[in-house]
Amino acid sequence: MAKQVLKSKTETPKKAKKQRKESLLLKYGVIAFIEILTFISAFLIYISRNLKAPINTIYEESVETFLDASVDNVKMWFENQVTVMKVFQRAVVEPVDNPENIKHRIKTVTKPDGFEYVMVFWDTNTDAKDGGPETFNTKGGSSTAGILQKEYYVNHKKSDVSVWLESPRVAAAGGYTMPLYVKSEFVDEETGKKVSGGCVGFLELEPIKKLGKTFFKTGRISVYDDANGLRAGEDILGETDINHLKVYTKTFTLNNKVWKVIATVERQEMEAIANQMQNISLIGGFVIAVILMILELVIIKIIIGKFDSIKQNIDDLNTGDKDLTKRLEIYHNNEISQVKKSVNTFVNTVHETVREIGSANEELKKSFENVKGQLDETKNQMENISREIQTATATLQEEDKSVTGTSELVSQISSNITTLNQMIDSQVDAITQASAGIEQMIGNIQSITNSVDMMAGEFTELNAATVEGIEKNRIVNELLNTVLAQSKSLQDTNMVIANISSQTNLLSMNAMIESAHAGEAGKGFAVVAEEIRKLADTSATQSKSIGENLKLIAANIQKVVESADLSKASFEVVSDKTNNTSELVYSIKKATEEQSEGSKHLLETLAKMNNISVSVQRSSKKIGDRALSVLDAIAGLKESSKNMAENFNQIVTTTETTQQTTRNLHHLTIDMTNAVNNISARIEEFKV
């Protein structure tokens, strides 16, 4: 048609106007280039003036992020160590315990990783030199140096703290440690009283050094403790010249201590990053400019495609008689002409397509009717499946509850079996100790029996000696009475001698008087009288001395007689007691023999009990192992049940989604049927 139009015009006498070839894309592309050049210039001016400040802000925010991460790492490390200490404390000190068990357990429980050693104390122990508690440690020893002045002990008594951290100190093996205190309490199983104390772990600080990291090119992270001691990274605080550095500091708390993290970056690096970001921004500006130019060209092309003439012709096709046999007329050789050619090609395609759509639409209508019937049937089947799945889900939930209950019962049985094993172990130990004690008791009873035999013989001899002593005491008593009677007789004789001496003295005095009367003749008789007087005086003196001695002898003999009577009574009492004691000794001997025989039977019984307890112990351990196997199987069953429940939930979700999809498809089928009918009606409007 276009060729016929051109031919008719060339045949007219009027000369046709020559078509001028032009490019609207080139014309408007130049305009777009000028606009973009203006934008780039404004963008570069903005970048050069305002870019560095935001870059510095972003840089500082990234450094703050590194600081926060370092603080979180240190806190996480410390919290992990506190958790480790609490777990160790629970392993050493049980809720109901006694000091002897704790002393033994601290030596046998392995010290936790990351600690030089761990020690334990309790307040009721005051065996240290300063009156404080003695400490027992994982090295197997104890210390009486005392802890009354230690910071953690002061706060333990003063504030009843549960966790306390002390400042780092030099370790005995080199490096640094940090005492970490965790409170412990137990009820003394002997007294029933609540006892408080604590576990102190000497935390090794070597692992914290790995927290001193680097970032960017020159960024460094350093960690300092509460006394400004360097724990990780490089010593920034020790450098004298830090003007070339940008320093960022953040403090944080580890329980009761305040630590700090310091980040440093070379200032030159910040400038280099700012310049680099500026260059990147410039490159980005040019990329944006290219993108804008492309967008401008696209927009121009779209504008070109929407000229009024083309729009009018296309409107004729849309709102006119809808004759698809008509084509657009082409007058120029430019972009618009190309668009018109494209439109004509498009109309040709639409022409053919409408005819094909008309044919396919009828077939599509029939297909949609079949699909609608199948969807109705599918909808009913999905509803039946949904009801079956709900029933299966309810059954699965009941089975899951049953499995959970069984698991709890088996866990309780396993716990009871463990307790039973511990009781059986204690029983076996007790029976072993009892057997040893009874064997020792049998030996002691045998020793007692031998001693009682010896004692019985000695008591027999003692009884005989007592009887003999009573008899001898009687004889001595009789002799003493005889001596006492004789001493009385001697006293009487001594009195006679004293009288004779007195009479002799009188006679001598008379003789001296008479010799004086006789004169010279009586001198010899006077000498005799004087000698007689002297003899009488001597006899009187001797008689007086003998009388006094006889009285003393008589008094002593009387005392001896009284002592002999008392001794006789004592011997009789001793004899009675000896007879009674001898009977008791024979009774004890008989009882020890019976006890020895009974202890032998008891020892045999304990041996049988020990064998039975060992058998029960083996059986209980087997039952415990089987209970653990059952528990593992139930755990697997619970996991399977959980997976089944999840699968059922997925099936339910899928079923619900499928039902919804089926309903949507049903509605869509109805809509599509209506749309097909509308398409049929619209196709009939076109002239093909």
Side-chain angles (χ1 to χ4, degrees), residues 406-441:
T406 304
S407 176
E408 293 176 354
L409 289 174
V410 172
S411 298
Q412 185 176 3
I413 291 171
S414 177
S415 177
N416 293 336
I417 290 172
T418 302
T419 305
L420 177 62
N421 286 335
Q422 295 175 353
M423 295 174 64
I424 291 173
D425 292 338
S426 301
Q427 182 181 5
V428 171
D429 295 337
I431 290 173
T432 304
Q433 295 176 0
S435 299
I438 290 174
E439 291 177 354
Q440 185 177 2
M441 184 177 71

Side-chain angles (χ1 to χ4, degrees), residues 313-320 322-324 326 343 347 686:
N313 291 327
I314 293 175
D315 288 340
D316 291 338
L317 291 175
N318 290 331
T319 60
K322 297 183 180 180
D323 187 0
L324 294 179
K326 292 181 178 181
V343 170
V347 171
F686 288 97

Side-chain angles (χ1 to χ4, degrees), residues 144 185 320 325 341 424 567 649 688:
T144 60
E185 291 181 337
T325 60
K341 291 179 182 179
I424 291 173
S567 176
N649 290 331
V688 295

Side-chain angles (χ1 to χ4, degrees), residues 4 34 51 61 84 96 139 291 295 304 329 347 392 399 410 466 513 572 617:
Q4 292 177 356
I34 296 172
L51 183 63
E61 289 177 355
V84 169
V96 179
K139 294 180 178 179
I291 294 173
L295 291 175
I304 292 172
E329 295 181 355
V347 171
E399 291 180 355
V410 172
T466 303
I513 294 169
E572 291 175 352
Q617 186 182 29

Side-chain angles (χ1 to χ4, degrees), residues 293-521:
M293 183 177 289
I294 295 173
L295 291 175
E296 286 284 342
L297 293 175
V298 172
I299 293 171
I300 293 170
K301 191 172 183 178
I302 293 173
I303 294 173
I304 292 172
K306 291 185 178 181
F307 287 141
D308 292 337
S309 60
I310 299 175
K311 181 177 181 300
Q312 182 65 41
N313 291 327
I314 293 175
D315 288 340
D316 291 338
L317 291 175
N318 290 331
T319 60
D321 55 4
K322 297 183 180 180
D323 187 0
L324 294 179
T325 60
K326 292 181 178 181
R327 299 293 181 267
L328 298 176
E329 295 181 355
I330 301 173
Y331 301 100
H332 302 283
N333 186 16
N334 55 22
E335 288 83 1
I336 297 175
S337 300
Q338 297 298 323
V339 171
K340 287 183 178 182
K341 291 179 182 179
S342 298
V343 170
N344 289 333
T345 304
F346 172 76
V347 171
N348 289 331
T349 304
V350 170
H351 188 189
E352 297 296 329
T353 303
V354 168
R355 283 191 301 196
E356 293 175 358
I357 289 174
S359 301
N361 190 65
E362 295 297 327
E363 297 178 1
L364 185 62
K365 184 185 295 185
K366 296 177 182 178
S367 299
F368 273 119
E369 290 177 355
N370 294 330
V371 170
K372 182 180 178 183
Q374 293 177 359
L375 283 175
D376 291 337
E377 184 178 356
T378 302
K379 180 180 177 183
N380 295 329
Q381 292 177 356
M382 289 302 300
E383 290 177 353
N384 294 331
I385 292 172
S386 178
R387 286 192 293 271
E388 293 295 331
I389 289 175
Q390 290 177 355
T391 303
T393 301
T395 304
L396 183 61
Q397 290 176 352
E398 294 296 328
E399 291 180 355
D400 187 58
K401 292 180 181 178
S402 177
V403 170
T404 302
T406 304
S407 176
E408 293 176 354
L409 289 174
V410 172
S411 298
Q412 185 176 3
I413 291 171
S414 177
S415 177
N416 293 336
I417 290 172
T418 302
T419 305
L420 177 62
N421 286 335
Q422 295 175 353
M423 295 174 64
I424 291 173
D425 292 338
S426 301
Q427 182 181 5
V428 171
D429 295 337
I431 290 173
T432 304
Q433 295 176 0
S435 299
I438 290 174
E439 291 177 354
Q440 185 177 2
M441 184 177 71
I442 291 174
N444 295 334
I445 291 172
Q446 188 63 39
S447 300
I448 292 171
T449 303
N450 296 333
S451 300
V452 168
D453 289 338
M454 295 174 64
M455 190 185 298
E458 291 176 356
F459 269 109
T460 302
E461 295 177 359
L462 178 61
N463 194 16
T466 303
V467 173
E468 183 179 358
I470 292 172
E471 182 63 23
K472 290 181 178 180
N473 188 72
R474 184 184 62 78
I475 295 171
V476 170
N477 199 12
E478 291 177 354
L479 292 174
L480 288 173
N481 288 326
T482 302
V483 172
L484 182 61
Q486 291 176 353
S487 67
K488 289 181 178 179
S489 176
L490 289 174
Q491 286 179 354
D492 294 337
T493 303
N494 187 56
M495 291 178 64
V496 172
I497 292 172
N499 290 328
I500 293 171
S501 175
S502 178
Q503 293 295 327
T504 303
N505 191 20
L506 291 174
L507 289 176
S508 67
M509 290 179 65
N510 291 327
M512 289 180 67
I513 294 169
E514 290 298 329
S515 65
H517 290 164
E520 290 293 331

Side-chain angles (χ1 to χ4, degrees), residues 519-565:
E520 290 293 331
K523 287 184 179 180
F525 184 74
V527 173
V528 173
E530 181 64 22
E531 293 296 329
I532 291 173
R533 186 186 65 77
K534 292 180 180 179
L535 179 61
D537 291 338
T538 303
S539 297
T541 302
Q542 293 294 328
S543 175
K544 184 178 179 180
S545 177
I546 291 171
E548 292 175 354
N549 290 331
L550 286 175
K551 288 180 180 180
L552 292 174
I553 290 171
N556 291 331
I557 291 173
Q558 186 65 36
K559 292 179 180 179
V560 171
V561 171
E562 293 175 355
S563 298
D565 292 336

